[in-house]
Coordinates of all heavy atoms in Angstrom, one line a residue:
M121 N 17.6 7.9 -6.3 CA 17.2 7.4 -7.6 C 17.5 8.5 -8.7 O 18.0 8.2 -9.7 CB 15.7 7.1 -7.6 CG 15.2 6.4 -8.9 SD 16.0 4.9 -9.3 CE 15.6 3.8 -8.0
G122 N 17.3 9.8 -8.3 CA 17.6 10.9 -9.2 C 16.6 11.2 -10.2 O 16.5 12.3 -10.7
L123 N 15.7 10.2 -10.6 CA 14.8 10.5 -11.7 C 13.5 11.2 -11.2 O 12.8 11.8 -11.9 CB 14.3 9.1 -12.2 CG 15.3 8.3 -13.1 CD1 14.8 6.9 -13.3 CD2 15.5 9.1 -14.4
Y124 N 13.3 11.1 -9.9 CA 12.1 11.6 -9.3 C 12.3 12.7 -8.3 O 13.2 12.6 -7.5 CB 11.3 10.4 -8.7 CG 10.9 9.4 -9.6 CD1 11.7 8.2 -9.6 CD2 10.0 9.6 -10.6 CE1 11.3 7.1 -10.5 CE2 9.7 8.5 -11.5 CZ 10.4 7.4 -11.5 OH 10.1 6.4 -12.3
T125 N 11.4 13.7 -8.3 CA 11.5 14.8 -7.3 C 10.9 14.3 -6.0 O 10.1 13.3 -5.9 CB 10.8 16.0 -7.8 OG1 9.4 15.7 -7.9 CG2 11.3 16.5 -9.1
D126 N 11.2 14.9 -4.9 CA 10.7 14.6 -3.6 C 9.2 14.9 -3.6 O 8.5 14.0 -3.0 CB 11.3 15.5 -2.5 CG 12.8 15.2 -2.2 OD1 13.2 14.1 -2.7 OD2 13.4 15.9 -1.5
D127 N 8.8 15.8 -4.3 CA 7.3 16.1 -4.4 C 6.6 15.0 -5.1 O 5.5 14.5 -4.6 CB 7.0 17.4 -5.2 CG 7.1 18.6 -4.3 OD1 7.3 18.5 -3.1 OD2 7.1 19.7 -4.8
F128 N 7.1 14.5 -6.1 CA 6.5 13.3 -6.8 C 6.5 12.1 -5.9 O 5.4 11.4 -5.9 CB 7.3 13.1 -8.1 CG 6.8 11.9 -8.9 CD1 5.6 12.1 -9.6 CD2 7.5 10.7 -9.0 CE1 5.1 11.0 -10.3 CE2 7.0 9.6 -9.7 CZ 5.8 9.8 -10.4
L129 N 7.6 11.9 -5.2 CA 7.6 10.7 -4.4 C 6.6 10.8 -3.3 O 5.9 9.8 -2.9 CB 9.0 10.5 -3.8 CG 10.0 10.1 -4.8 CD1 11.4 10.1 -4.2 CD2 9.8 8.8 -5.6
R130 N 6.5 12.0 -2.7 CA 5.5 12.2 -1.6 C 4.1 12.0 -2.2 O 3.2 11.4 -1.5 CB 5.6 13.7 -1.1 CG 5.2 13.8 0.3 CD 5.5 15.2 0.8 NE 7.0 15.5 0.8 CZ 7.5 16.5 0.2 NH1 6.8 17.5 -0.5 NH2 8.8 16.6 0.3
M131 N 3.9 12.4 -3.4 CA 2.5 12.2 -4.0 C 2.2 10.7 -4.2 O 1.2 10.3 -3.8 CB 2.5 12.9 -5.4 CG 1.1 12.8 -5.9 SD 1.1 13.2 -7.7 CE 2.2 12.1 -8.4
L132 N 3.2 10.0 -4.7 CA 3.1 8.6 -4.9 C 2.7 7.9 -3.5 O 1.9 7.0 -3.5 CB 4.4 7.9 -5.4 CG 4.8 8.1 -6.8 CD1 6.0 7.2 -7.1 CD2 3.6 7.6 -7.8
R133 N 3.3 8.3 -2.5 CA 3.2 7.7 -1.2 C 1.9 8.0 -0.6 O 1.3 7.3 0.2 CB 4.3 8.1 -0.3 CG 4.5 7.3 0.9 CD 5.4 8.0 1.9 NE 5.4 7.4 3.2 CZ 4.4 7.4 4.1 NH1 3.2 8.0 3.7 NH2 4.5 6.8 5.2
N134 N 1.3 9.3 -0.9 CA 0.2 9.7 -0.1 C -1.1 9.9 -0.9 O -2.2 9.9 -0.4 CB 0.5 11.1 0.5 CG 1.6 11.0 1.5 OD1 1.7 10.1 2.2 ND2 2.5 12.0 1.5
E135 N -1.0 9.9 -2.2 CA -2.2 10.2 -3.0 C -3.2 9.0 -3.1 O -4.4 9.3 -3.1 CB -1.7 10.6 -4.4 CG -2.8 11.3 -5.3 CD -3.0 12.7 -4.9 OE1 -2.2 13.3 -4.1 OE2 -4.1 13.2 -5.2
I136 N -2.7 7.8 -3.1 CA -3.7 6.7 -3.1 C -3.8 6.1 -1.7 O -2.7 5.9 -1.1 CB -3.2 5.6 -4.1 CG1 -2.9 6.2 -5.4 CG2 -4.2 4.5 -4.1 CD1 -2.5 5.1 -6.5
R137 N -5.0 6.0 -1.2 CA -5.2 5.5 0.1 C -4.6 4.0 0.2 O -4.8 3.3 -0.8 CB -6.6 5.5 0.5 CG -7.1 6.9 0.9 CD -8.5 6.9 1.4 NE -9.5 6.5 0.3 CZ -10.2 5.3 0.4 NH1 -10.1 4.5 1.3 NH2 -11.0 5.1 -0.6
I138 N -4.0 3.6 1.3 CA -3.4 2.4 1.4 C -4.4 1.3 1.2 O -4.2 0.2 0.6 CB -2.7 2.2 2.8 CG1 -1.9 0.9 2.9 CG2 -3.6 2.3 4.0 CD1 -0.5 1.0 2.1
D139 N -5.7 1.5 1.6 CA -6.7 0.5 1.4 C -7.0 0.3 -0.1 O -7.2 -0.8 -0.5 CB -8.1 1.0 2.1 CG -8.0 1.1 3.6 OD1 -6.9 1.1 4.1 OD2 -9.1 1.2 4.2
Q140 N -6.9 1.4 -0.8 CA -7.1 1.2 -2.3 C -5.9 0.5 -2.9 O -6.1 -0.3 -3.8 CB -7.2 2.7 -2.9 CG -8.6 3.2 -2.9 CD -8.6 4.5 -3.6 OE1 -7.8 5.4 -3.3 NE2 -9.6 4.8 -4.5
V141 N -4.7 0.8 -2.4 CA -3.6 0.1 -3.0 C -3.8 -1.4 -2.7 O -3.5 -2.3 -3.7 CB -2.3 0.6 -2.3 CG1 -1.1 -0.2 -2.8 CG2 -2.1 2.0 -2.6
I142 N -4.2 -1.8 -1.6 CA -4.4 -3.2 -1.2 C -5.4 -3.8 -2.2 O -5.3 -5.0 -2.7 CB -4.9 -3.3 0.2 CG1 -3.7 -3.0 1.2 CG2 -5.5 -4.7 0.5 CD1 -4.1 -2.8 2.6
N143 N -6.5 -3.1 -2.5 CA -7.5 -3.5 -3.4 C -6.9 -3.7 -4.8 O -7.2 -4.7 -5.5 CB -8.6 -2.4 -3.5 CG -9.9 -2.9 -2.8 OD1 -10.2 -4.1 -2.9 ND2 -10.5 -2.0 -2.2
I144 N -6.2 -2.7 -5.3 CA -5.6 -2.7 -6.6 C -4.7 -3.9 -6.8 O -4.7 -4.6 -7.8 CB -4.8 -1.4 -6.9 CG1 -5.8 -0.2 -7.0 CG2 -4.0 -1.5 -8.2 CD1 -5.1 1.2 -6.9
L145 N -3.9 -4.2 -5.8 CA -3.0 -5.4 -5.8 C -3.8 -6.7 -5.6 O -3.1 -7.7 -5.9 CB -2.0 -5.2 -4.7 CG -1.0 -4.0 -4.8 CD1 -0.2 -3.9 -3.6 CD2 0.0 -4.3 -6.0
G146 N -5.0 -6.7 -5.3 CA -5.8 -7.9 -5.2 C -5.5 -8.7 -3.9 O -5.7 -9.9 -4.0
L147 N -4.9 -8.0 -2.9 CA -4.7 -8.8 -1.7 C -6.0 -9.2 -1.0 O -6.9 -8.4 -1.1 CB -3.9 -7.9 -0.7 CG -2.4 -7.6 -1.1 CD1 -1.8 -6.7 -0.1 CD2 -1.6 -8.9 -1.1
E148 N -6.0 -10.4 -0.5 CA -7.2 -10.8 0.2 C -7.4 -9.9 1.4 O -6.4 -9.6 2.1 CB -7.0 -12.3 0.6 CG -8.3 -13.0 1.0 CD -8.0 -14.4 1.4 OE1 -7.0 -15.0 0.9 OE2 -8.8 -14.9 2.2
T149 N -8.6 -9.5 1.7 CA -9.0 -8.7 2.8 C -10.1 -9.3 3.6 O -10.9 -10.1 3.1 CB -9.4 -7.3 2.4 OG1 -10.5 -7.4 1.6 CG2 -8.3 -6.6 1.7
R150 N -10.2 -9.0 4.9 CA -11.2 -9.5 5.8 C -11.6 -8.3 6.7 O -10.7 -7.5 7.0 CB -10.8 -10.7 6.6 CG -10.6 -11.9 5.8 CD -10.1 -13.1 6.8 NE -9.7 -14.2 5.9 CZ -9.1 -15.3 6.4 NH1 -8.8 -15.3 7.7 NH2 -8.8 -16.3 5.6
Y151 N -12.8 -8.4 7.2 CA -13.1 -7.6 8.3 C -13.2 -8.5 9.6 O -14.0 -9.4 9.6 CB -14.5 -6.9 8.2 CG -14.3 -5.6 7.3 CD1 -14.5 -5.7 5.9 CD2 -14.0 -4.4 7.8 CE1 -14.3 -4.7 5.1 CE2 -13.8 -3.3 7.0 CZ -14.0 -3.4 5.6 OH -13.8 -2.3 4.9
I152 N -12.4 -8.2 10.5 CA -12.3 -9.1 11.8 C -12.7 -8.1 12.9 O -12.0 -7.1 13.1 CB -11.0 -9.7 12.0 CG1 -10.6 -10.6 10.8 CG2 -11.0 -10.5 13.3 CD1 -9.2 -11.2 10.8
K153 N -13.8 -8.4 13.5 CA -14.4 -7.4 14.6 C -14.4 -6.0 14.1 O -14.0 -5.1 14.8 CB -13.5 -7.5 15.8 CG -13.5 -8.9 16.5 CD -12.6 -8.9 17.8 CE -12.6 -10.3 18.4 NZ -11.4 -10.5 19.1
N154 N -14.9 -5.9 12.9 CA -15.1 -4.6 12.2 C -13.8 -3.8 11.9 O -13.9 -2.7 11.4 CB -16.0 -3.6 13.1 CG -17.4 -4.1 13.2 OD1 -17.9 -4.7 12.1 ND2 -18.1 -3.9 14.3
F155 N -12.7 -4.5 12.0 CA -11.5 -3.9 11.6 C -11.0 -4.5 10.2 O -11.0 -5.7 10.1 CB -10.3 -4.1 12.6 CG -10.5 -3.3 13.9 CD1 -10.9 -3.8 15.1 CD2 -10.1 -1.9 13.8 CE1 -11.1 -3.0 16.2 CE2 -10.3 -1.1 15.0 CZ -10.8 -1.7 16.1
F156 N -10.7 -3.6 9.4 CA -10.1 -3.9 8.1 C -8.8 -4.6 8.2 O -7.9 -4.1 8.8 CB -10.1 -2.7 7.2 CG -9.6 -3.0 5.8 CD1 -10.4 -3.5 4.8 CD2 -8.2 -2.6 5.4 CE1 -9.9 -3.7 3.5 CE2 -7.8 -2.9 4.1 CZ -8.6 -3.4 3.2
R157 N -8.7 -5.8 7.6 CA -7.4 -6.6 7.6 C -7.0 -7.0 6.2 O -7.9 -7.2 5.4 CB -7.5 -7.8 8.4 CG -8.2 -7.7 9.7 CD -7.2 -7.2 10.8 NE -7.8 -7.2 12.1 CZ -7.3 -6.6 13.2 NH1 -6.3 -5.7 13.0 NH2 -7.8 -6.6 14.3
F158 N -5.8 -7.1 5.9 CA -5.3 -7.5 4.7 C -4.3 -8.6 4.8 O -3.7 -8.8 5.9 CB -4.7 -6.4 3.8 CG -3.4 -5.8 4.4 CD1 -2.2 -6.3 4.1 CD2 -3.5 -4.8 5.4 CE1 -1.0 -5.8 4.6 CE2 -2.4 -4.3 5.9 CZ -1.1 -4.7 5.6
R159 N -4.2 -9.6 3.9 CA -3.3 -10.7 4.0 C -1.9 -10.1 3.8 O -1.6 -9.5 2.7 CB -3.6 -11.8 2.9 CG -2.7 -13.0 3.1 CD -3.0 -14.0 2.1 NE -4.1 -14.7 2.1 CZ -4.4 -15.8 2.9 NH1 -3.5 -16.2 3.8 NH2 -5.5 -16.4 2.8
C160 N -1.0 -10.3 4.8 CA 0.3 -9.8 4.7 C 1.1 -10.5 3.6 O 1.1 -11.8 3.5 CB 1.1 -10.0 6.0 SG 2.8 -9.7 6.0
P161 N 1.7 -9.8 2.7 CA 2.4 -10.4 1.6 C 3.7 -11.1 2.0 O 4.3 -11.9 1.3 CB 2.8 -9.2 0.6 CG 2.8 -8.1 1.6 CD 1.8 -8.3 2.7
L162 N 4.1 -10.9 3.3 CA 5.3 -11.7 3.7 C 5.0 -12.9 4.5 O 5.6 -13.9 4.3 CB 6.1 -10.7 4.6 CG 6.7 -9.4 3.9 CD1 7.4 -8.5 4.9 CD2 7.6 -9.7 2.7
C163 N 4.1 -12.8 5.4 CA 3.8 -14.0 6.3 C 2.5 -14.6 6.0 O 2.2 -15.6 6.6 CB 3.9 -13.6 7.8 SG 2.6 -12.6 8.4
Y164 N 1.7 -13.9 5.2 CA 0.4 -14.4 4.7 C -0.6 -14.5 5.9 O -1.7 -15.2 5.6 CB 0.5 -15.8 4.0 CG 1.5 -15.7 2.8 CD1 2.7 -16.4 2.9 CD2 1.2 -15.0 1.7 CE1 3.6 -16.3 1.9 CE2 2.1 -14.9 0.7 CZ 3.3 -15.5 0.8 OH 4.2 -15.5 -0.2
G165 N -0.4 -13.8 6.9 CA -1.4 -13.8 8.0 C -2.2 -12.6 7.9 O -2.1 -11.7 7.0
F166 N -3.2 -12.5 8.8 CA -4.2 -11.4 8.8 C -4.0 -10.5 10.1 O -4.9 -9.8 10.4 CB -5.6 -11.9 8.7 CG -6.0 -12.2 7.3 CD1 -5.8 -13.6 6.8 CD2 -6.5 -11.3 6.4 CE1 -6.1 -13.9 5.5 CE2 -6.8 -11.6 5.1 CZ -6.7 -12.9 4.7
H167 N -2.9 -10.7 10.7 CA -2.7 -9.9 11.9 C -2.1 -8.5 11.5 O -1.0 -8.1 11.8 CB -1.7 -10.6 12.9 CG -1.6 -10.1 14.2 ND1 -0.7 -10.3 15.1 CD2 -2.5 -9.2 14.9 CE1 -0.9 -9.6 16.3 NE2 -2.0 -9.0 16.1
T168 N -3.0 -7.7 10.8 CA -2.6 -6.6 10.1 C -3.6 -5.5 10.4 O -4.7 -5.7 10.8 CB -2.5 -6.8 8.6 OG1 -3.8 -7.3 8.2 CG2 -1.4 -7.8 8.2
A169 N -3.2 -4.3 10.0 CA -4.1 -3.1 10.2 C -3.6 -2.0 9.2 O -2.5 -2.0 8.7 CB -4.1 -2.6 11.6
T170 N -4.6 -1.1 8.8 CA -4.2 0.0 8.1 C -4.4 1.3 8.9 O -5.4 1.3 9.7 CB -4.9 0.1 6.7 OG1 -6.3 0.1 7.0 CG2 -4.6 -1.1 5.8
N171 N -3.6 2.3 8.7 CA -3.8 3.6 9.4 C -4.0 4.7 8.3 O -3.0 5.0 7.6 CB -2.5 3.8 10.2 CG -2.7 5.0 11.1 OD1 -3.5 5.9 10.8 ND2 -1.9 5.1 12.1
P172 N -5.2 5.2 8.3 CA -5.5 6.2 7.3 C -4.7 7.5 7.5 O -4.4 8.2 6.6 CB -7.0 6.5 7.5 CG -7.5 5.4 8.3 CD -6.4 4.8 9.1
K173 N -4.3 7.8 8.7 CA -3.6 9.0 9.1 C -2.2 9.0 8.5 O -1.7 10.0 8.0 CB -3.6 9.2 10.6 CG -4.9 9.7 11.2 CD -4.7 10.2 12.6 CE -6.1 10.5 13.1 NZ -6.2 9.9 14.5
T174 N -1.5 7.8 8.7 CA -0.2 7.8 8.2 C -0.1 7.2 6.8 O 0.9 7.2 6.1 CB 0.7 6.9 9.1 OG1 0.0 5.6 9.2 CG2 0.8 7.6 10.5
N175 N -1.3 6.6 6.3 CA -1.3 5.9 5.0 C -0.4 4.7 5.0 O 0.3 4.5 4.0 CB -1.1 6.8 3.8 CG -1.8 6.3 2.6 OD1 -2.9 5.7 2.8 ND2 -1.3 6.5 1.5
L176 N -0.3 4.0 6.1 CA 0.5 2.8 6.2 C -0.3 1.6 6.5 O -1.3 1.7 7.2 CB 1.6 3.0 7.3 CG 2.7 4.0 7.1 CD1 3.5 4.1 8.5 CD2 3.6 3.6 6.0
G177 N 0.2 0.5 6.0 CA -0.4 -0.8 6.4 C 0.7 -1.4 7.3 O 1.8 -1.2 7.2
R178 N 0.2 -2.2 8.4 CA 1.2 -2.7 9.3 C 0.8 -4.2 9.5 O -0.3 -4.6 9.6 CB 1.1 -2.0 10.6 CG 2.1 -2.6 11.6 CD 2.3 -1.8 12.8 NE 3.2 -2.4 13.8 CZ 4.5 -2.5 13.7 NH1 5.1 -1.8 12.7 NH2 5.3 -3.1 14.6
C179 N 1.9 -5.0 9.6 CA 1.7 -6.4 10.0 C 2.4 -6.6 11.4 O 3.6 -6.2 11.5 CB 2.4 -7.4 9.0 SG 2.3 -9.1 9.6
F180 N 1.5 -7.0 12.2 CA 2.1 -7.1 13.6 C 2.9 -8.3 13.8 O 3.7 -8.3 14.7 CB 0.8 -7.1 14.6 CG 0.0 -5.9 14.6 CD1 -1.1 -5.9 13.8 CD2 0.4 -4.7 15.2 CE1 -1.9 -4.7 13.7 CE2 -0.3 -3.5 15.1 CZ -1.5 -3.5 14.4
E181 N 2.7 -9.3 13.0 CA 3.6 -10.6 13.1 C 5.0 -10.2 12.6 O 6.0 -10.5 13.2 CB 3.0 -11.7 12.3 CG 1.7 -12.2 12.7 CD 1.8 -12.8 14.1 OE1 2.8 -13.4 14.5 OE2 0.8 -12.7 14.9
C182 N 5.1 -9.5 11.4 CA 6.4 -9.2 10.8 C 7.0 -7.9 11.5 O 8.1 -7.6 11.3 CB 6.2 -8.9 9.4 SG 5.6 -10.3 8.4
E183 N 6.1 -7.2 12.2 CA 6.5 -5.9 12.8 C 7.1 -5.0 11.7 O 8.1 -4.4 11.8 CB 7.5 -6.1 13.9 CG 7.0 -6.9 15.1 CD 7.9 -7.0 16.3 OE1 9.1 -6.7 16.1 OE2 7.4 -7.4 17.4
K184 N 6.3 -4.9 10.6 CA 6.7 -4.1 9.5 C 5.6 -3.2 9.1 O 4.5 -3.6 9.0 CB 7.1 -5.1 8.4 CG 7.9 -4.4 7.3 CD 8.5 -5.5 6.4 CE 9.1 -4.9 5.1 NZ 9.7 -3.6 5.2
N185 N 6.0 -2.0 8.7 CA 5.0 -1.1 8.1 C 5.2 -1.1 6.6 O 6.4 -1.2 6.1 CB 5.3 0.4 8.6 CG 4.9 0.5 10.0 OD1 3.8 0.0 10.4 ND2 5.7 1.3 10.8
F186 N 4.2 -0.9 5.8 CA 4.2 -0.8 4.4 C 3.5 0.5 4.0 O 2.3 0.7 4.2 CB 3.4 -2.0 3.7 CG 3.8 -3.4 4.2 CD1 3.2 -4.0 5.1 CD2 4.9 -3.9 3.5 CE1 3.6 -5.3 5.4 CE2 5.3 -5.2 3.8 CZ 4.7 -5.9 4.8
N187 N 4.3 1.3 3.3 CA 3.6 2.4 2.6 C 3.2 1.9 1.2 O 3.6 0.8 0.8 CB 4.5 3.7 2.6 CG 5.7 3.6 1.8 OD1 5.7 2.9 0.7 ND2 6.8 4.2 2.2
P188 N 2.4 2.7 0.4 CA 2.1 2.2 -0.8 C 3.2 1.7 -1.7 O 3.1 0.7 -2.5 CB 1.3 3.4 -1.5 CG 0.7 4.1 -0.3 CD 1.7 4.0 0.8
I189 N 4.3 2.5 -1.7 CA 5.4 2.0 -2.6 C 6.0 0.7 -2.1 O 6.3 -0.2 -2.9 CB 6.5 3.2 -2.5 CG1 6.0 4.5 -3.1 CG2 7.8 2.7 -3.2 CD1 6.9 5.7 -2.8
D190 N 6.2 0.6 -0.8 CA 6.7 -0.7 -0.2 C 5.8 -1.9 -0.6 O 6.3 -2.9 -1.0 CB 6.7 -0.7 1.3 CG 7.6 0.4 1.9 OD1 8.6 0.7 1.3 OD2 7.3 0.9 3.0
L191 N 4.5 -1.6 -0.5 CA 3.6 -2.7 -0.7 C 3.6 -3.2 -2.1 O 3.6 -4.4 -2.4 CB 2.1 -2.2 -0.3 CG 1.1 -3.3 0.0 CD1 1.6 -4.3 1.2 CD2 -0.2 -2.7 0.4
V192 N 3.5 -2.2 -3.1 CA 3.6 -2.6 -4.5 C 4.9 -3.4 -4.8 O 4.8 -4.4 -5.5 CB 3.5 -1.3 -5.4 CG1 3.7 -1.7 -6.8 CG2 2.0 -0.7 -5.2
M193 N 6.0 -2.9 -4.2 CA 7.3 -3.6 -4.5 C 7.3 -5.0 -4.0 O 7.7 -5.9 -4.7 CB 8.4 -2.8 -3.9 CG 8.7 -1.5 -4.7 SD 10.1 -0.5 -4.0 CE 11.5 -1.3 -4.8
V194 N 6.8 -5.2 -2.8 CA 6.7 -6.5 -2.2 C 5.9 -7.5 -3.0 O 6.2 -8.6 -3.3 CB 6.4 -6.5 -0.6 CG1 6.2 -7.9 -0.1 CG2 7.5 -5.8 0.1
V195 N 4.6 -7.0 -3.2 CA 3.6 -7.9 -3.8 C 3.9 -8.2 -5.3 O 3.7 -9.3 -5.7 CB 2.2 -7.2 -3.7 CG1 1.1 -8.0 -4.4 CG2 1.8 -7.1 -2.2
T196 N 4.3 -7.2 -6.0 CA 4.5 -7.5 -7.5 C 6.0 -7.9 -7.8 O 6.2 -8.3 -8.9 CB 4.2 -6.2 -8.3 OG1 5.1 -5.1 -7.9 CG2 2.7 -5.7 -8.0
G197 N 6.9 -7.6 -6.9 CA 8.3 -7.9 -7.2 C 8.9 -6.9 -8.1 O 9.9 -7.2 -8.7
S198 N 8.2 -5.8 -8.3 CA 8.7 -4.8 -9.3 C 9.8 -4.0 -8.7 O 9.9 -3.9 -7.3 CB 7.6 -3.8 -9.6 OG 6.5 -4.4 -10.2
D199 N 10.6 -3.4 -9.5 CA 11.7 -2.6 -9.0 C 11.1 -1.1 -8.7 O 9.9 -1.0 -9.0 CB 12.9 -2.4 -9.9 CG 12.6 -1.9 -11.3 OD1 11.5 -1.2 -11.5 OD2 13.4 -2.1 -12.2
F200 N 11.9 -0.2 -8.3 CA 11.3 1.1 -7.9 C 10.7 1.8 -9.1 O 9.6 2.4 -8.9 CB 12.4 1.9 -7.2 CG 11.9 3.2 -6.7 CD1 11.2 3.2 -5.4 CD2 11.9 4.3 -7.5 CE1 10.6 4.4 -5.0 CE2 11.3 5.6 -7.0 CZ 10.7 5.5 -5.7
V201 N 11.3 1.8 -10.2 CA 10.8 2.6 -11.3 C 9.5 2.0 -11.8 O 8.6 2.7 -12.0 CB 11.9 2.5 -12.6 CG1 11.3 3.2 -13.8 CG2 13.2 3.2 -12.1
D202 N 9.4 0.7 -11.9 CA 8.1 0.1 -12.3 C 7.0 0.4 -11.3 O 5.9 0.6 -11.6 CB 8.3 -1.4 -12.5 CG 9.0 -1.8 -13.7 OD1 9.2 -0.9 -14.6 OD2 9.4 -2.9 -13.8
T203 N 7.4 0.4 -10.0 CA 6.4 0.7 -8.9 C 5.9 2.1 -9.1 O 4.7 2.4 -8.9 CB 7.1 0.4 -7.6 OG1 7.4 -1.0 -7.5 CG2 6.2 0.7 -6.4
A204 N 6.9 3.0 -9.3 CA 6.5 4.4 -9.4 C 5.5 4.6 -10.6 O 4.5 5.3 -10.5 CB 7.7 5.3 -9.7
E205 N 5.8 4.0 -11.8 CA 4.8 4.0 -12.9 C 3.5 3.4 -12.6 O 2.4 3.9 -12.9 CB 5.5 3.3 -14.1 CG 6.7 4.0 -14.7 CD 6.3 5.4 -15.2 OE1 5.4 5.5 -15.9 OE2 7.1 6.3 -14.8
F206 N 3.5 2.3 -11.9 CA 2.3 1.6 -11.5 C 1.4 2.5 -10.6 O 0.2 2.7 -11.0 CB 2.7 0.3 -10.7 CG 1.6 -0.5 -10.2 CD1 1.1 -1.6 -10.9 CD2 1.0 -0.2 -8.9 CE1 0.1 -2.4 -10.4 CE2 -0.1 -1.0 -8.5 CZ -0.5 -2.1 -9.2
L207 N 2.0 3.1 -9.6 CA 1.2 4.0 -8.8 C 0.8 5.2 -9.5 O -0.4 5.7 -9.3 CB 2.0 4.3 -7.5 CG 2.1 3.2 -6.5 CD1 3.2 3.6 -5.4 CD2 0.8 2.9 -5.8
K208 N 1.6 5.8 -10.3 CA 1.3 7.0 -11.1 C 0.1 6.7 -12.0 O -0.9 7.5 -12.0 CB 2.5 7.3 -11.9 CG 2.4 8.8 -12.4 CD 3.6 9.1 -13.3 CE 3.6 8.4 -14.7 NZ 4.8 8.7 -15.5
N209 N 0.0 5.6 -12.6 CA -1.1 5.2 -13.5 C -2.4 5.1 -12.7 O -3.5 5.5 -13.1 CB -0.8 3.9 -14.3 CG 0.2 4.1 -15.3 OD1 0.5 5.2 -15.8 ND2 0.9 3.0 -15.6
H210 N -2.3 4.6 -11.5 CA -3.5 4.4 -10.7 C -3.9 5.7 -10.1 O -5.1 5.8 -9.8 CB -3.3 3.3 -9.6 CG -3.4 1.9 -10.2 ND1 -4.6 1.4 -10.5 CD2 -2.5 1.0 -10.6 CE1 -4.5 0.2 -11.1 NE2 -3.1 -0.1 -11.1
I211 N -3.0 6.6 -9.9 CA -3.5 7.9 -9.3 C -4.5 8.6 -10.3 O -5.5 9.0 -9.9 CB -2.3 8.8 -9.1 CG1 -1.5 8.4 -7.9 CG2 -2.7 10.3 -8.9 CD1 -0.2 9.0 -7.6
G212 N -4.1 8.5 -11.6 CA -5.1 9.0 -12.7 C -6.4 8.3 -12.6 O -7.4 9.0 -12.6
N213 N -6.4 7.0 -12.3 CA -7.7 6.3 -12.3 C -8.5 6.6 -11.1 O -9.7 6.8 -11.2 CB -7.4 4.8 -12.3 CG -6.8 4.4 -13.7 OD1 -7.1 5.1 -14.7 ND2 -6.1 3.3 -13.7
T214 N -7.9 6.7 -9.9 CA -8.6 6.8 -8.7 C -9.2 8.2 -8.6 O -10.2 8.4 -7.9 CB -7.8 6.4 -7.4 OG1 -6.6 7.2 -7.5 CG2 -7.5 5.0 -7.4
K215 N -8.5 9.2 -9.2 CA -9.0 10.6 -9.1 C -10.4 10.7 -9.7 O -11.1 11.6 -9.4 CB -8.0 11.5 -9.8 CG -6.8 11.8 -8.9 CD -6.8 13.3 -8.6 CE -5.9 13.7 -7.5 NZ -4.7 14.4 -7.9
K216 N -10.7 9.9 -10.7 CA -12.0 10.0 -11.4 C -13.1 9.5 -10.5 O -14.3 9.9 -10.9 CB -11.9 9.3 -12.7 CG -10.9 9.9 -13.7 CD -11.0 9.1 -15.1 CE -9.8 9.5 -15.8 NZ -8.9 8.3 -16.2
I217 N -12.9 8.8 -9.5 CA -14.0 8.2 -8.8 C -14.6 9.3 -7.9 O -13.9 10.0 -7.2 CB -13.4 7.0 -7.8 CG1 -13.0 5.9 -8.8 CG2 -14.5 6.5 -6.9 CD1 -12.2 4.8 -8.1
Ligands
ZN69 ZN1 3.4 -10.4 8.1

């Protein structure tokens, strides 16, 4: 892309917890047997999980991992630049909590 440094991209990817990104995007969530699940934006199923260690969401049906950048792009249909701005703005907001 050229516009963004690696550090900035790493921050976008890691600064907001994947659970928070799911919340911000308004994806439907459920707790199934005490596990947090989100509605997969690709197959609309709940066969999903989040991993706080890697900050990834996973859909077991699609066999796909979503980092925060992937998830915002898929759900909002934004391009990379808009997604970077979107996440950057939310980093400011979540830090205050
Ligand atoms: Zn899926």
Side-chain angles (χ1 to χ4, degrees):
M121 191 53 67
L123 290 169
Y124 301 105
T125 64
D126 289 348
D127 279 351
F128 179 73
L129 294 176
R130 206 171 301 123
M131 183 198 60
L132 282 184
R133 191 193 172 293
N134 297 321
E135 195 73 17
I136 307 182
R137 285 185 293 116
I138 190 75
D139 294 14
Q140 272 182 314
V141 175
I142 288 165
N143 254 324
I144 291 165
L145 290 169
L147 289 177
E148 197 180 331
T149 59
R150 290 180 187 170
Y151 280 90
I152 301 170
K153 293 177 187 160
N154 290 327
F155 286 103
F156 178 79
R157 313 281 189 196
F158 62 96
R159 187 188 284 282
C160 172
L162 298 178
C163 71
Y164 306 109
F166 281 93
H167 194 196
T168 56
T170 56
N171 185 337
K173 281 190 188 136
T174 56
N175 209 33
L176 292 171
R178 178 166 179 82
C179 175
F180 299 100
E181 294 300 325
C182 299
E183 298 186 346
K184 195 165 166 41
N185 289 320
F186 301 98
N187 68 37
I189 297 168
D190 299 329
L191 199 59
V192 171
M193 288 180 83
V194 170
V195 172
T196 65
S198 300
D199 63 17
F200 185 83
V201 174
D202 285 347
T203 297
E205 290 300 311
F206 178 95
L207 284 169
K208 195 179 75 179
N209 290 335
H210 280 287
I211 287 170
N213 292 335
T214 54
K215 279 242 167 114
K216 290 182 198 121
I217 295 167

